[in-house]
Amino acid sequence: MATTLKTRLLVIGGGPGGYVAALRAAQLGVETVLLDADRLGGTCLIRGCIPSKALIHAAGYYQDLAESAKSARFGIGILGTPTLEFAATMRWKEGIVDSLNGGVKTLLRRAKVRVVSGYARFTDAKTCNVETPEGPTTIAAEHVILATGSLPIEMPGLPFGDHVISSTGALSLTEVPRRLVIVGAGYIGLELGTAFAKFGSAVTVVEAQNRILPLYDAELTAPVQRWLEKHHVTLHLGAKALGMTDGALGVETAQGNRISLPADKVLVTIGRRPNAEGWGLEQMGIEMSGRFIKVDDRCATSTRGVWAIGDLVGEPMLAHKASAQGNMVAEIISGQRLRFDAAAIPSVCFTEPEVVSVGVDPDTAAKREEVLVGQFPFQANGRALSMDGGATGGFVRVVARKSDHRILGIQAVGTHISELSAQFVTIMEMGGVLEDVAGIIHAHPTLSEAFHESALKALGHAIHI
Ligand code: FAD
């Protein structure tokens, strides 16, 4: 016989959206049940942000050693060649995932969130059935937060399997593929492609658009393209993947030629789709916006008391957006009046070099109003040079409204610049103007001085260029 569980709040999905919502709700005294079919932490922690960044870090370390073995860098050489025991690298990466997964479990236990393991199937908007390890359970709630996340998109003619893999497959490979072909030059494909190129794979990228990282402007992604080309990653831009024949990917190039790319693995990273099927969404009477669940600026769906957050509700599909929405909905359920009105959501791409973007780029801003743009190259930044990051062609760029100098966007590309995203988004959230940045004393020598100089440049008085 099914057990019945009644609760004030039921959260479906324990990713960065769902588990943050559950923790915040519990902090506020809301009786909460969190349901997940898989390991707590969701895509981000188990098969996304964290394991990918761990592999990227390990790959960078291996490549540094390999380069030092070929020719001494900074006067430091290595006798012999470094070895890669990929299974141990993957165990190290899994250790980080396990530790963070354990941390989420502990936080939820301490906050007294009741965690139920199993796959939810809704029978109406506020009731779902779940097969738990303890037996069938029916859960009914006053409020439901849907945070079921997203799934990798499969390409017609290239179904995921042993040979054709998604990012999840790439993060659980048992060996470094000798020849890796990547379909899709978005951030997930290029982050993983960069890591595997550093591990020694011969990487080829096939992208339908005529440039890499199409969501960023071309000037910002040029240093990344240069790095890929310099490191023998073959790029087929404006090209169409056709399908697999005899272990090779058929491709139609931008010039209309048909070529065949032999591959040990083909990694398809052409985007992610909301996970909105197979769990009874159709029983809930919820309006959709295309493939995403439609929500208002409080993340309320069209059904009263049902909320949706994270990748399920649209772009940007990023962990920190999911968490911010989860936090807000928990506070609304506990009685606060709030709206999701982020002045800026930063996006970071952990390629080589890294890319950060907050707010609008110069072209987008210039279509709306007159703007000032200030750009400062890392080549003229002491800290970048002292970290061997001066020669990548990287820069920081600030875009501001001409009339009142209000900052509308900040973009940067360069080695180790992901950590600058916090300063960029802080100044934008606080409604900063160029003079604010110009008046702040930035520590020397740091990469942040390039941001200071970009604001000075926009004001017409940069010091170091
Ligand atoms: P998810 O994290 O997808 O969690 C959804 C959860 O719901 C899952 O645990 C799933 O098991 C559970 N679930 C689904 N259906 C049911 C059901 N019916 N019953 C019970 N449980 C269910 N974002 C960044 O911000 N920075 C990055 O660097 C970054 N890197 C990434 C790298 C990769 C390779 C990938 C794939 C993604 C990356 N992302 C990154 C995106 C990020 O992972 C997602 O934006 C984020 O995880 C979305 O959070 P979410 O809570 O909406 O959903």
Side-chain angles (χ1 to χ4, degrees):
M1 207 178 102
T3 313
T4 302
L5 196 62
K6 289 199 171 139
T7 182
R8 174 103 194 282
L9 170 63
L10 169 63
V11 182
I12 308 293
Y19 87 73
V20 168
L23 282 172
R24 184 71 187 119
Q27 280 175 354
L28 292 162
V30 178
E31 182 199 17
T32 303
V33 172
L34 173 66
L35 183 55
D36 200 298
D38 202 326
R39 297 176 69 195
L40 290 170
T43 304
C44 175
L45 205 160
I46 309 298
R47 51 193 169 271
C49 326
I50 299 298
S52 62
K53 273 54 187 190
L55 272 197
I56 288 165
H57 180 75
Y61 182 61
Y62 177 65
Q63 193 207 28
D64 281 350
L65 292 177
E67 281 185 2
S68 297
K70 278 191 223 142
S71 63
R73 296 172 74 203
F74 328 124
I76 302 163
I78 291 177
L79 294 177
T81 43
T83 56
L84 173 65
E85 202 203 316
F86 191 61
T89 307
M90 293 302 257
R91 280 198 300 277
W92 169 75
K93 176 221 37 150
E94 270 315 299
I96 295 164
V97 170
D98 290 347
S99 144
L100 290 170
N101 167 258
V104 173
K105 279 188 203 159
T106 306
L107 290 170
L108 289 163
R109 194 177 52 243
R110 271 201 219 135
K112 302 202 176 11
V113 172
R114 181 160 180 174
V115 176
V116 177
S117 185
Y119 191 79
R121 285 192 174 76
F122 279 82
T123 49
D124 66 45
K126 305 277 181 73
T127 315
C128 72
N129 294 326
V130 52
E131 283 296 331
T132 73
E134 294 76 38
T137 305
T138 299
I139 309 177
E142 284 168 47
H143 288 273
V144 174
I145 300 180
L146 301 172
T148 56
S150 63
L151 300 166
I153 295 177
E154 249 174 336
M155 256 192 99
L158 280 179
F160 293 134
D162 185 44
H163 208 72
V164 179
I165 55 174
S166 67
S167 55
T168 308
L171 290 167
S172 47
L173 285 171
T174 51
E175 56 187 36
V176 174
R178 204 163 52 82
R179 297 157 309 178
L180 176 66
V181 174
I182 300 176
V183 182
Y187 85 92
I188 293 179
L190 288 193
E191 285 186 359
L192 291 169
T194 303
F196 280 102
K198 289 181 176 184
F199 279 135
S201 296
V203 176
T204 304
V205 178
V206 178
E207 165 59 48
Q209 298 205 36
N210 59 10
R211 60 192 191 83
I212 60 163
L213 298 170
L215 291 181
Y216 298 102
D217 67 84
E219 192 181 20
L220 198 60
T221 57
V224 180
Q225 182 155 339
R226 271 200 298 279
W227 187 94
L228 293 169
E229 286 165 352
K230 190 171 163 206
H231 291 83
H232 314 295
V233 173
T234 309
L235 299 177
H236 291 285
L237 302 176
K240 215 161 95 189
L242 302 171
M244 296 296 295
T245 321
D246 299 332
L249 180 73
V251 170
E252 187 181 313
T253 66
Q255 296 71 35
N257 302 324
R258 298 241 162 160
I259 58 168
S260 176
L261 300 173
D264 298 298
K265 294 284 175 196
V266 174
L267 167 60
V268 176
T269 50
I270 55 167
R272 296 181 63 83
R273 63 181 168 86
N275 179 11
E277 284 161 23
W279 46 266
L281 179 61
E282 57 288 350
Q283 313 294 328
M284 304 175 83
I286 285 176
E287 269 181 49
M288 303 296 288
S289 169
R291 293 175 310 165
F292 295 102
I293 289 187
K294 186 175 170 187
V295 287
D296 66 11
D297 55 5
R298 300 175 314 134
C299 289
T301 69
S302 56
T303 299
R304 202 178 163 82
V306 179
W307 313 78
I309 59 173
D311 284 6
L312 192 55
V313 302
E315 298 287 351
M317 288 203 204
L318 293 171
H320 39 285
K321 183 210 70 172
S323 299
Q325 290 180 328
N327 196 73
M328 176 194 71
V329 172
E331 292 181 353
I332 292 174
I333 290 171
S334 81
Q336 299 185 40
R337 289 166 68 87
L338 297 165
R339 295 192 178 278
F340 193 70
D341 184 21
I345 299 174
S347 72
V348 180
C349 184
F350 293 79
T351 40
E352 196 66 75
E354 294 172 348
V355 179
V356 172
S357 179
V358 189
V360 288
D361 64 41
D363 285 349
T364 312
K367 282 185 192 130
R368 301 202 300 240
E369 55 202 323
E370 275 198 279
V371 293
L372 295 173
V373 178
Q375 189 163 315
F376 189 84
F378 281 118
Q379 209 176 9
N381 174 273
R383 183 61 180 144
L385 292 172
S386 71
M387 291 196 296
D388 198 28
T392 62
F395 58 85
V396 180
R397 184 177 65 197
V398 62
V399 187
R401 196 185 288 141
K402 192 173 178 191
S403 58
D404 59 4
H405 296 181
R406 173 84 178 255
I407 296 174
L408 305 171
I410 306 159
Q411 298 85 35
V413 51
T415 310
H416 304 306
I417 51 105
S418 48
E419 294 300 325
L420 288 185
S421 66
Q423 186 186 7
F424 298 165
V425 75
T426 303
I427 204 85
M428 287 208 50
E429 269 291 340
M430 301 191 79
V433 294
L434 291 171
E435 286 79 357
D436 290 326
V437 184
I440 291 169
I441 298 172
H442 289 74
H444 177 73
T446 63
L447 297 175
S448 70
E449 288 171 289
F451 179 41
H452 186 224
E453 288 278 4
S454 71
L456 295 179
K457 181 86 194 312
L459 290 168
H461 53 87
I463 298 292
H464 291 97
I465 38 170

